[in-house]
Amino acid sequence: MGQTKKKIMILLPDGVGLRNFAYTSFAAIGEQMGWKMIYWNKTPFDLSSLGLHEIPLQGKVSTKTNIYKRARKEIELANFEAKFNDPIYRNYSFPPAAKTLKQKIKNRWVANLIRKYKGAGISKLRAKIKASEKNTAYYKSCLTTLDNERPDFLFCTNQRSVQAITPILAAQELNIPTATFIFSWDNIPKATLVLETDYYFVWSEHMKKELLTYYEYIEESQIVITGTPQFEAHFDSSKIMDRSSFLSKHNLPEATDFICFSGDDITTSPHDPYYLDAVATAVAELNSKGYNLAILFRRCPVDISTRYDEVLAKHENLIFSLPPLWEKQGGQWDTLLPLKEDTDRLVNTIHHTRLVVNLGSSMAFDFACHNKPCMYIAFNPSSETLKKDVNTVYKYVHFRSMPSSEAVCWLRSKETIAAQIEVLLKNDKRHVSEALEWFEKINESPPQKASQRICSAIQNMIA
């Protein structure tokens, strides 16, 4: 009689985990280890279309839990500010909507909770979050599912989803080991940790130290360094299209060198259209000197606004849009999810461009994987009402991990963009070695083995 397969449940509370744990080799590696893998899926994405076994995660958290979670974040940020004597943490707090009476009542509720549980009282608020969810029908449903499935391990694909609190609590009630993955390089200082699991999977030693610094209730033995699957595709040569095929597929001009402009979300960079226009103007200046350049524009996946339209029309012969392949799923107007094909598009966009221009995004690491430089925009618009000071962005805690300022090329003024692009075109390896040093600090090496390390860690826990 054969040995019973270990059953691993992958909790997918939202679309964040699709790219890392549905579109990579993660599932295939788990299968090779002899696991039975089940995706507990809260998204409308049909994972069976990828050959993955899924069961729906049904139910929703209570209104109280959402309110408690909001208060917890604000208290944590205030605690971080006091602990480190650093006002930057205020910049991670955003004013809530207050247009309707319902919103105003919730905001007052949150404010009262902050006053009641501020400082050391946050531990009581964390307990209230758990107690709140254990009284819901959602919790009973999760208990039933887990009791029926009896997995050996429950792994959550990100740490920030309030929808994941209940399944994690239910698993712990049934003594099923749990873990969560910290999915982004900037998440820990922003107080986005809402899950309390048995184990925490992080990108690097740097992130491990952050977790221990910010959350004193987490023990070192609970933290596992794995890296992130996010960058694995950059090391898969089978994804690369030859130049001719790439140009033909996207109707791009021949004999042209491309640079990439990677858009940010409207909150981080409300002046992005201005910056895109400035870079296009610089490209036109270089072309007048004999260069033959164009811009491949990849907008932020969740930015479906029309804010770039005027700039795109103005520079239609210089800017070519290669938008991320994300789409609305399941008929829900607010559910925008990445498609598997977008990974290939991203890899090829990078492969066929010389460098990237953006405002402080992790695309610096994506390009570093291809030994290509990144230019960070670091000046404010001169002709517009300032909506956000760009200098605020680079004060965020995660940029302090940069080993030196040479990890990127800093664009300090509109007038110098053309000259700085020209320098990098003549020496496109400038800044790359520093960028790779930064990447190695942020993400465990080798980066293409992250899924293997995650699976091996789980295997050790269930052995």
Side-chain angles (χ1 to χ4, degrees):
M1 197 169 175
Q3 188 177 7
T4 304
K5 282 189 173 185
K6 296 288 187 179
K7 186 184 288 188
I8 311 299
M9 285 189 77
I10 313 302
L11 179 57
L12 200 67
D14 54 33
V16 167
L18 285 171
R19 183 172 61 171
N20 284 332
F21 297 104
Y23 298 159
T24 61
S25 60
F26 174 74
I29 293 170
E31 293 286 346
Q32 289 167 11
M33 288 186 164
W35 301 344
K36 180 178 181 181
M37 300 183 74
I38 301 172
Y39 284 76
W40 204 1
N41 188 8
K42 186 70 173 174
T43 80
F45 189 88
D46 179 14
L47 292 173
S48 65
S49 66
L50 302 176
L52 303 174
H53 179 52
E54 65 175 335
I55 57 175
L57 174 59
Q58 296 174 326
K60 62 180 182 178
V61 299
S62 72
T63 300
K64 277 185 182 179
T65 303
N66 272 306
I67 297 294
Y68 293 157
K69 178 220 173 188
R70 285 176 53 189
R72 174 182 174 170
K73 177 178 179 177
E74 297 304 319
I75 295 170
E76 283 188 346
L77 290 174
N79 288 350
F80 296 165
E81 180 179 354
K83 180 176 181 178
F84 303 110
N85 190 27
D86 191 340
I88 191 60
Y89 296 98
R90 297 175 197 171
N91 294 86
Y92 295 131
S93 177
F94 298 98
K99 294 180 180 179
T100 67
L101 178 60
K102 188 175 182 180
Q103 287 170 338
K104 291 175 182 176
I105 291 171
K106 287 181 177 180
N107 293 344
R108 180 165 292 187
W109 189 358
V110 171
N112 288 337
L113 288 168
I114 293 171
R115 280 193 292 270
K116 185 174 182 180
Y117 295 105
K118 64 182 180 181
I122 193 168
S123 60
K124 294 180 181 178
L125 186 58
R126 286 168 41 215
K128 286 184 76 69
I129 291 173
K130 297 173 186 176
S132 169
E133 277 310 289
K134 286 188 175 182
N135 286 322
T136 63
Y138 183 28
Y139 180 72
K140 293 182 179 66
S141 172
C142 289
L143 278 175
T144 300
T145 298
L146 289 169
D147 200 34
N148 289 337
E149 295 293 336
R150 283 291 168 178
D152 294 282
F153 200 86
L154 179 62
F155 178 77
C156 185
T157 54
N158 83 75
Q159 83 294 341
R160 76 177 188 186
S161 174
V162 70
Q163 295 289 341
I165 295 173
T166 318
I168 293 293
L169 289 172
Q172 290 168 340
E173 178 71 20
L174 297 173
N175 295 314
I176 298 165
T178 60
T180 191
F181 180 71
I182 311 295
F183 83 92
S184 187
W185 68 309
D186 63 350
N187 274 193
I188 296 174
K190 291 162 68 174
T192 65
L193 183 65
V194 302
L195 300 184
E196 296 181 31
T197 51
D198 299 310
Y199 300 100
Y200 300 86
F201 286 37
V202 299
W203 291 24
S204 60
E205 179 68 31
H206 173 78
M207 191 180 277
K208 175 182 176 178
K209 289 176 180 175
E210 279 191 319
L211 204 54
L212 291 171
T213 300
Y214 285 96
Y215 294 97
E216 295 175 357
Y217 61 83
I218 296 177
E219 302 289 337
E220 186 173 2
S221 59
Q222 294 178 269
I223 304 173
V224 185
I225 299 170
T226 60
T228 175
Q230 179 175 326
F231 302 104
E232 288 181 344
H234 296 308
F235 301 91
D236 183 353
S237 59
S238 69
K239 294 186 177 297
I240 301 296
M241 299 174 65
D242 65 80
R243 179 177 168 84
S244 177
S245 299
F246 178 75
L247 297 180
S248 175
K249 180 176 181 177
H250 300 293
N251 297 313
L252 298 172
E254 298 275 354
T256 302
D257 262 347
F258 297 98
I259 67 173
C260 177
F261 185 98
S262 170
D264 272 283
D265 63 89
I266 198 166
T267 301
T268 302
S269 186
H271 301 292
D272 240 25
Y274 174 91
Y275 296 131
L276 178 58
D277 179 65
V279 174
T281 300
V283 165
E285 180 184 333
L286 288 169
N287 286 349
S288 71
K289 294 170 61 176
Y291 286 89
N292 191 3
L293 300 169
I295 297 168
L296 294 189
F297 170 49
R298 179 179 168 91
R299 67 169 64 227
C300 173
V302 296
D303 183 359
I304 55 175
S305 70
T306 59
R307 64 183 181 134
Y308 295 101
D309 288 1
E310 186 177 338
V311 176
L312 295 175
K314 177 182 176 182
H315 300 286
E316 61 179 348
N317 295 321
L318 285 180
I319 305 175
F320 299 88
S321 286
L322 235 60
L325 296 172
W326 289 45
E327 67 177 33
K328 295 171 186 175
Q329 295 280 327
Q332 299 180 33
W333 69 270
D334 61 344
T335 306
L336 201 63
L337 299 177
L339 301 181
K340 188 174 184 180
E341 293 78 12
D342 185 51
T343 300
D344 292 359
R345 173 165 290 191
L346 174 62
V347 168
N348 280 283
T349 297
I350 296 172
H351 182 76
H352 294 289
T353 53
R354 297 284 299 275
L355 56 90
V356 65
V357 181
N358 64 41
L359 200 156
S361 90
S362 61
M363 282 286 276
F365 302 136
D366 293 277
F367 271 74
C369 290
H370 293 252
N371 294 302
K372 296 182 180 183
C374 172
M375 310 181 88
Y376 270 176
I377 297 162
F379 63 92
N380 287 317
S382 55
S383 60
E384 296 186 14
T385 302
L386 190 63
K387 298 173 184 174
K388 184 169 185 174
D389 184 348
V390 70
N391 297 301
T392 301
V393 174
Y394 296 112
K395 290 177 182 175
Y396 289 150
V397 175
H398 57 286
F399 290 110
R400 299 173 190 175
S401 62
M402 196 180 286
S404 86
S405 61
E406 289 296 301
V408 297
C409 174
W410 296 93
L411 298 178
R412 303 289 186 186
S413 72
K414 178 179 179 179
E415 292 72 26
T416 61
I417 295 175
Q420 287 180 275
I421 289 176
E422 188 170 22
V423 168
L424 287 191
L425 290 175
K426 290 177 179 177
N427 179 10
D428 64 3
K429 296 299 178 281
R430 191 175 179 215
H431 304 289
V432 169
S433 62
E434 294 286 337
L436 285 169
E437 184 180 339
W438 188 20
F439 183 45
E440 287 176 8
K441 180 178 180 180
I442 289 297
N443 185 51
E444 183 77 354
S445 295
Q448 61 268 41
K449 296 292 185 180
S451 290
Q452 181 67 57
R453 286 191 292 267
I454 292 169
C455 290
S456 295
I458 294 173
Q459 181 68 20
N460 289 336
M461 291 167 185
I462 62 176

